[in-house]
Amino acid sequence: MKRILGLVMVMGLGGALIVMAQEVKVGQVQIVDLGKGVNLEMVLIPIGKFNIGDMRVDLEVTISKPYYLGKYEVTQEQWEALIGNNPSPNKGAKLPVTKVSWEDCQDFIKKLNAKTDGGYRLPTEAEWEFACRAGTTTPYWFGQKITPKDANYAKFEPVEVGSYKPNAFGLFDTHGNAWEWCQDWWAQYPSGSVIDPDGPITGQYRALRGGSFVNIIGSKARSYDRARLTPNYREYTCGFRLAKTP
């Protein structure tokens, strides 16, 4: 297991930090206490290189710095702990929060950063796909094909996060369940090679990844599949997963 220098901490919203280790291990889980028994779990993702998109895209991406990514999609109980309401049409504490816009996600992140040591954000598309693939080159981290046993798609309602097997990085539900907002403005990929890309400076649409519970065919949930919406649009299939800079 790879290691980087740093600290693994359990953080309460009151600001108290409990040091758990003197060395951060890739795959290590960071736990954030949101209060009232609600926790947020973040997994450390390693550096690496991969070819983003499908076979038609000629773009090699280098992820040069480790980062944390949510072990699960943000849940309704986590959203309620910070925002105080629940916009999701399908209610359930452990279901992913949905019908949130990109701008709504920024409000959640702003409040989370104000109550913790900060650094939380949405993942870039490159970070999201790299973490979803978890070292694989197939359309799904589990292989060439998808079945209803692998992920939540074509079921027309979300399921509790963690209902399916995790990938090699320990992440759940990267295929299906809810579309996940990314930080980037949506744009066509360039060719060549890039380091830590974060998309164009401006745009009309923000990018989403992962597919959702309403996609009739699982091909919409491949590691490289993309969607786009205006940042103020609230779609009932859309949620998000947090990233964090160590």
Side-chain angles (χ1 to χ4, degrees):
M1 181 175 290
K2 297 180 181 179
R3 293 176 170 84
I4 61 172
L5 297 178
L7 299 176
V8 177
M9 297 171 286
V10 176
M11 294 167 287
L13 289 186
L17 301 179
I18 303 174
V19 178
M20 296 177 64
Q22 295 181 339
E23 190 177 60
V24 174
K25 298 179 180 179
V26 170
Q28 179 70 50
V29 176
Q30 185 184 72
I31 301 173
V32 183
D33 179 11
L34 300 181
K36 297 182 179 179
V38 178
N39 292 324
L40 175 68
E41 296 182 65
M42 306 291 289
V43 178
L44 190 62
I45 307 299
I47 63 174
K49 291 184 179 181
F50 75 109
N51 293 322
I52 199 168
D54 61 21
M55 296 294 291
R56 295 169 294 179
V57 178
D58 183 22
L59 180 60
E60 183 185 71
V61 172
T62 296
I63 302 295
S64 70
K65 294 170 287 190
Y67 58 98
Y68 284 99
L69 196 65
K71 186 175 183 179
Y72 309 103
E73 295 161 330
V74 172
T75 64
Q76 294 176 29
E77 65 178 1
Q78 291 167 344
W79 182 271
E80 289 178 351
L82 286 185
I83 304 299
N85 60 28
N86 185 355
S88 310
N90 300 88
K91 296 294 193 289
K94 300 296 184 182
L95 294 178
V97 65
T98 55
K99 205 173 183 180
V100 292
S101 68
W102 184 93
E103 293 175 349
D104 293 334
C105 297
Q106 301 306 310
D107 291 338
F108 180 92
I109 290 167
K110 183 178 179 179
K111 290 191 176 184
L112 181 60
N113 282 331
K115 293 178 179 294
T116 64
D117 65 337
Y120 293 93
R121 55 183 174 79
L122 290 176
T124 65
E125 278 200 88
E127 288 174 333
W128 192 98
E129 185 173 328
F130 179 73
C132 176
R133 288 182 178 278
T136 65
T137 58
T138 49
Y140 310 93
W141 65 256
F142 40 76
Q144 292 287 345
K145 298 181 179 180
I146 189 172
T147 73
K149 295 181 180 180
D150 300 314
N152 180 27
Y153 68 97
K155 294 183 179 179
F156 302 100
E157 62 181 8
V159 297
E160 291 189 359
V161 298
S163 294
Y164 297 85
K165 293 180 180 179
N167 69 10
F169 286 166
L171 303 175
F172 291 82
D173 305 310
T174 53
H175 299 296
N177 217 22
W179 278 107
E180 299 178 18
W181 286 104
C182 291
Q183 183 63 28
D184 310 38
W185 289 107
W186 189 94
Q188 295 288 350
Y189 296 127
S191 297
S193 60
V194 291
I195 299 173
D196 301 325
D198 55 7
I201 297 175
T202 61
Q204 182 178 0
Y205 305 102
R206 294 286 184 176
L208 300 100
R209 292 301 201 100
S212 80
F213 54 88
V214 300
N215 294 126
I216 297 176
I217 55 175
S219 61
K220 293 294 185 181
R222 292 169 296 194
S223 298
Y224 51 80
D225 280 310
R226 312 168 76 196
R228 55 184 176 176
L229 290 172
T230 55
N232 63 348
Y233 192 85
R234 295 185 178 104
E235 163 62 41
Y236 77 104
T237 62
C238 296
F240 66 111
R241 185 186 306 261
L242 290 168
K244 184 179 187 290
T245 303

